[in-house]
């Protein structure tokens, strides 16, 4: 009997804690940092007549802020501003060296966050929305040589983010995937090519009530 009472009290505490974190008509501010794994649907790099190298995923840094308005108990709307170092790499190409394209973005995601019923899965949220990106600069590094190639890419990017997050007390862990919608190619090519971004974000943050 004692164990049952303890279990009920613990369950109620978790439920009340989850409700307290999701009160309607409240605002929160969450600084976040993390890493991303990104790539772009670019043309293969031909190193010989019959040898092509495909672009591979590149790891980069993410940092920024996100504010959220809890419109209803289970629905929140968030807007963020993040610096994100994205791009792609061809790895260590024989006869050339390592080739890496770094794209430095300012990303502004606008998301709708759906919090799972607190009594079932407290702190867990599903999210989706739209993200507006602005290319701050582009850098191409071949071996030890780095060149600015911002003009090769269009400045504005739009993508669709979707993901999941989990909050415990004031800490928030977030996993989201961004699917690029726009062709960022800004150079004349002999073939039709569509340079669209895709990136996986993994961040952690600390939530402040406003």
């Amino acid at each position: 009997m004692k164990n049952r009472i303890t279990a009920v009290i613990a369950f109620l505490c978790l439920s009340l804690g989850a409700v307290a974190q999701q009160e309607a008509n409240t605002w929160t501010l969450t600084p976040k940092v993390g890493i991303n794994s990104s790539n772009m649907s670019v043309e293969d790099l031909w190193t010989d007549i019959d040898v092509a190298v495909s672009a591979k995923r590149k790891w980069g840094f993410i940092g920024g802020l996100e504010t959220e308005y809890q419109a209803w108990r289970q629905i929140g709307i968030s807007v963020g501003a993040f610096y994100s170092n994205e791009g792609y790499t061809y790895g260590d190409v024989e006869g050339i060296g390592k080739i890496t394209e770094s794209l430095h973005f300012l990303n502004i995601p606008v998301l709708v966050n759906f919090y799972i019923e607190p009594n079932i899965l407290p702190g867990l949220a599903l999210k989706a929305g739209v993200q507006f990106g602005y290319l701050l600069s582009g850098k191409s590094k071949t071996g030890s040589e780095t060149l600015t190639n911002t003009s090769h890419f269009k400045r504005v990017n739009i993508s669709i983010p979707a993901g999941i997050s989990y909050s415990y007390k004031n800490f928030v862990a977030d996993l989201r995937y961004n699917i690029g919608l726009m062709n960022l190619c800004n150079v004349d090519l002999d073939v039709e090519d569509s340079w669209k971004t895709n990136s996986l974000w993994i961040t952690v943050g600390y939530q402040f009530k406003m």
Side-chain angles (χ1 to χ4, degrees):
M1 183 67 177
K2 184 178 179 180
N3 291 337
R4 292 182 180 179
I5 294 174
T6 303
V8 170
I9 293 173
F11 179 80
L12 290 175
C13 289
L14 286 173
S15 299
L16 290 173
V19 172
Q21 292 178 3
Q22 301 182 57
E23 294 176 354
N25 301 316
T26 58
W27 290 84
T28 56
L29 181 66
T30 309
K32 294 182 177 183
V33 295
I35 57 175
N36 68 62
S37 174
S38 60
N39 203 344
M40 181 176 281
S41 57
V42 297
E43 184 74 11
D44 291 342
L45 176 66
W46 290 86
T47 59
D48 205 339
I49 296 177
D50 56 353
V51 179
V53 181
S54 299
K56 301 176 181 179
R57 304 194 73 82
K58 170 187 172 295
W59 291 92
F61 168 80
I62 305 169
L65 294 169
E66 200 161 53
T67 184
E68 181 175 358
Y69 173 65
Q70 197 71 31
W72 295 277
R73 183 167 177 263
Q74 290 181 253
I75 302 292
I77 301 172
S78 64
V79 179
F82 291 91
Y83 162 78
S84 181
N85 182 351
E86 302 179 15
Y88 56 96
T89 179
Y90 288 109
D92 195 358
V93 180
E94 184 178 356
I96 300 176
K98 187 174 182 179
I99 301 175
T100 302
E101 298 284 350
S102 295
L103 303 177
H104 303 272
F105 280 101
L106 172 62
N107 286 312
I108 301 176
V110 180
L111 302 173
V112 175
N113 305 295
F114 175 73
Y115 291 87
I116 306 299
E117 175 56 45
N119 293 337
I120 301 175
L121 294 170
L124 190 67
L126 303 177
K127 55 191 61 193
V130 62
Q131 177 171 278
F132 304 92
Y134 181 78
L135 181 63
L136 301 172
S137 69
K139 302 285 185 180
S140 177
K141 184 176 182 180
T142 303
S144 59
E145 183 181 9
T146 301
L147 300 174
T148 299
N149 64 345
T150 310
S151 61
H152 293 178
F153 304 90
K154 295 176 182 178
R155 290 279 190 169
V156 177
N157 189 30
I158 297 178
S159 56
I160 298 297
I164 187 171
S165 68
Y166 178 74
S167 58
Y168 177 74
K169 294 185 178 180
N170 292 84
F171 294 94
V172 182
D174 190 298
L175 175 69
R176 69 183 71 168
Y177 193 79
N178 303 292
I179 303 172
L181 301 180
M182 299 188 65
N183 178 13
L184 298 188
C185 181
N186 200 35
V187 294
D188 293 328
L189 300 173
D190 295 333
V191 295
E192 289 189 10
D193 205 0
S194 181
W195 297 3
K196 294 181 179 180
T197 59
N198 65 82
S199 61
L200 176 69
W201 289 16
I202 305 172
T203 62
V204 292
Y206 190 85
Q207 193 174 73
F208 298 93
K209 291 186 177 181
M210 300 170 62

